[in-house]
Amino acid sequence: MYDPSRHYPLKNIKWELELVQQAIQDIADDAINQINQSRKLPRHPMDNYGVCSDLYMGMTGVIWALTYLELAQAIDAALDFATLLEGQLSSNEKEQKTMPHPDNASYLFGNLPILMLQFKSSRDSRIADKIFQSIEKNNGQPVRELMWGIAGSMLSANFLHKWTLEDRWKQLFLLQAEKMLNDWERIDDIGYLWSPDLYGDKRKYLGPVHGFAGNIIPLIEGKDLLDDRRYNDICSKVIETICNTATCNERHANWVAVFEESDRTKTPELVQHCHGAPGIVTALSKLPRGIDTRFDEILEKGGELTWHAGPLKKGANLCHGTAGNGYAFLKLYRRTENDLWLERARAFAMNAIDQYRLSKEIYHQGRYTLWTGDLGTAIYLWDCINGEANFPTIDVF
């Protein structure tokens, strides 16, 4: 049900609060020192791209993480974030021209999160107008997923509505929700999926970054903007689809990265946030309990597989690493109130710290990004301390 060569056995490392707190501060200090020295961050040898301006693996994500941890009083930080952010806007404008889907409002690679950070600190109505104009771009774009497309811009609109209570954000969210739901296709006896028109093809991804689960995230987060009948219908379709696309046995469940109508016997390989059980559990755990016992059980089976597979060799990060997988445990802890899941999350946290320290020894540098590096891991460690399950830039901004 998964590829064991991508994982390693869990080390039995005792949870130590002071060690976890120190790791969070060490990660933050490393990034801050690098920024103070050169105003930029080096590319990590495990990454294909350098640290640019974006939220996913760029400087905006670093600024977001440091700001978030400082406001939570998890770290001490002293940086001029406003000046740093201003520089990211001009850089991002240049970078976007070379990115996939350059005409989209990209939540993870575009200017949206940069503007959102600026607005959150300033409450400047002119910046809010720029955010609105950026989100509007996706009204006419076909990409139906979170990283580049309409699900990401819906998430932005929902955050802005929460911050301002202005009706224009609700109307923009509902307009894009309608467009996305109109493209939700019935697939025979399987359920409902999207063909997101991504990177030049229309593969039916299932995970939270490019696929089905990611499109459901803004609908869950923005459920108060939807009428009850519409939201209940969405829940019913999600539950049907997740149950019918799962590969299950008595204890475990996993999902393929891409659903193929021509090959429904395909075996899942990946167990990470972006593709596989951990991301499905993390993205959908806020759906109501008790609607369908099969769905409730299948989410826990996804958690059991994530535990069975163990930490990921790709590192301690969120997107395809140990911390991202650990969020499935935190989500199940919040959903079930079963302390077992918090214990497992903390076990993964200690292994993530071990991975972080070993990586520093091998490469003589940190991996500074939010979604693919150490700062996302630091936020995961903070949530493990507090028993929370706030996946960065998705549950909270």
Side-chain angles (χ1 to χ4, degrees):
M1 203 176 291
Y2 74 104
D3 179 0
S5 70
R6 296 174 178 269
H7 302 261
Y8 71 84
L10 186 79
K11 295 182 180 179
N12 184 18
I13 309 174
K14 182 182 177 182
W15 170 261
E16 292 187 31
L17 177 59
E18 290 185 3
L19 192 154
V20 178
Q21 291 171 324
Q22 187 60 55
I24 295 170
Q25 188 65 56
D26 288 348
I27 290 169
D29 287 344
D30 190 9
I32 291 167
N33 290 338
Q34 286 289 333
I35 293 170
N36 283 334
Q37 287 174 21
S38 63
R39 312 306 287 178
K40 60 183 181 179
L41 296 166
R43 180 183 72 83
H44 193 273
M46 291 180 72
D47 293 327
N48 294 326
Y49 303 99
V51 180
C52 297
S53 67
D54 56 85
L55 182 68
Y56 179 73
M57 56 183 298
M59 185 66 82
T60 299
V62 173
I63 296 168
W64 187 94
L66 293 172
T67 303
Y68 179 81
L69 289 168
E70 184 178 43
L71 287 173
Q73 299 183 324
I75 63 168
D76 295 318
L79 271 180
D80 182 1
F81 293 122
T83 301
L84 274 175
L85 271 177
E86 192 60 43
Q88 303 319 303
L89 269 177
S90 57
S91 296
N92 189 264
E93 185 177 339
K94 298 173 185 174
E95 292 162 14
Q96 274 292 99
K97 295 174 182 177
T98 64
M99 291 286 183
H101 310 290
D103 296 325
N104 282 40
S106 170
Y107 182 61
L108 295 185
F109 280 94
N111 67 2
L112 267 179
I114 305 172
L115 294 168
M116 288 170 68
L117 275 171
Q118 289 184 323
F119 176 77
K120 195 173 181 183
S121 62
S122 70
R123 300 293 165 159
D124 187 330
S125 61
R126 293 168 298 180
I127 297 175
D129 291 342
K130 290 179 182 179
I131 296 171
F132 192 88
Q133 292 163 10
S134 182
I135 293 174
E136 275 190 316
K137 291 179 182 179
N138 283 354
N139 289 351
Q141 296 297 328
V143 181
R144 304 291 184 247
E145 54 89 74
L146 191 141
M147 178 176 278
W148 302 102
I150 203 167
S153 54
M154 286 171 61
L155 202 57
S156 297
N158 186 55
F159 278 123
L160 265 294
H161 183 262
K162 287 181 179 179
W163 297 345
T164 67
L165 299 180
E166 292 178 11
D167 187 63
R168 62 171 172 165
W169 302 108
K170 176 180 178 179
Q171 297 309 316
L172 188 54
F173 175 91
L174 291 175
L175 173 65
Q176 295 194 352
E178 194 65 29
K179 287 178 178 293
M180 189 164 72
L181 290 170
N182 284 342
D183 288 343
W184 208 5
E185 310 166 54
R186 176 80 202 188
I187 309 295
D188 299 332
D189 58 339
I190 290 296
Y192 298 81
L193 293 170
W194 282 273
S195 304
D197 197 10
L198 183 68
Y199 305 144
D201 65 47
K202 294 193 174 188
R203 289 186 288 176
K204 293 176 173 62
Y205 291 92
L206 294 181
V209 178
H210 293 312
F212 169 86
N215 286 350
I216 301 303
I217 287 171
L219 296 170
I220 294 173
E221 295 301 315
K223 68 177 182 178
D224 292 340
L225 305 181
L226 302 165
D227 65 66
D228 289 344
R229 184 194 298 182
R230 195 66 183 277
Y231 185 66
N232 290 337
D233 180 61
I234 290 167
C235 291
S236 177
K237 290 176 177 176
V238 171
I239 288 169
E240 177 188 359
T241 306
I242 285 300
C243 290
N244 288 339
T245 54
T247 300
C248 293
N249 60 29
E250 290 183 2
R251 294 190 57 196
H252 300 141
N254 199 11
W255 288 262
V256 293
V258 178
F259 175 79
E260 296 180 16
E261 294 178 73
S262 60
D263 185 7
R264 298 189 184 184
T265 62
K266 189 176 178 182
T267 303
E269 294 182 357
L270 301 176
V271 183
Q272 54 197 48
H273 177 76
C274 48
H275 300 295
I280 297 291
V281 173
T282 296
L284 304 180
S285 69
K286 290 183 181 178
L287 289 174
R289 283 187 83 191
I291 294 179
D292 187 317
T293 55
R294 189 170 59 134
F295 177 73
D296 295 339
E297 291 170 359
I298 217 166
L299 286 189
E300 292 203 55
K301 285 184 177 182
E304 289 290 350
L305 179 74
T306 304
W307 176 251
H308 175 74
L312 280 151
K313 292 181 179 179
K314 281 190 173 183
N317 64 85
L318 294 176
C319 190
H320 35 259
T322 301
N325 282 19
Y327 263 108
F329 306 142
L330 289 175
K331 291 286 187 177
L332 287 170
Y333 170 64
R334 302 302 298 181
R335 181 178 175 86
T336 67
E337 299 182 344
N338 184 344
D339 289 343
L340 171 68
W341 295 113
L342 180 58
E343 292 170 9
R344 289 178 170 182
R346 288 176 168 175
F348 265 45
M350 300 309 294
N351 276 254
I353 293 172
D354 185 65
Q355 284 181 284
Y356 157 69
R357 302 228 182 266
L358 180 60
S359 178
K360 284 288 294 291
E361 289 179 17
I362 293 172
Y363 296 109
H364 307 291
Q365 69 168 81
R367 196 177 187 183
Y368 300 103
T369 56
L370 173 58
W371 275 69
T372 62
D374 302 334
L375 283 161
T377 302
I379 295 171
Y380 171 67
L381 298 177
W382 178 246
D383 274 0
C384 283
I385 290 173
N386 297 290
E388 297 295 340
N390 297 319
F391 197 96
T393 69
I394 301 297
D395 295 298
V396 289
F397 193 95

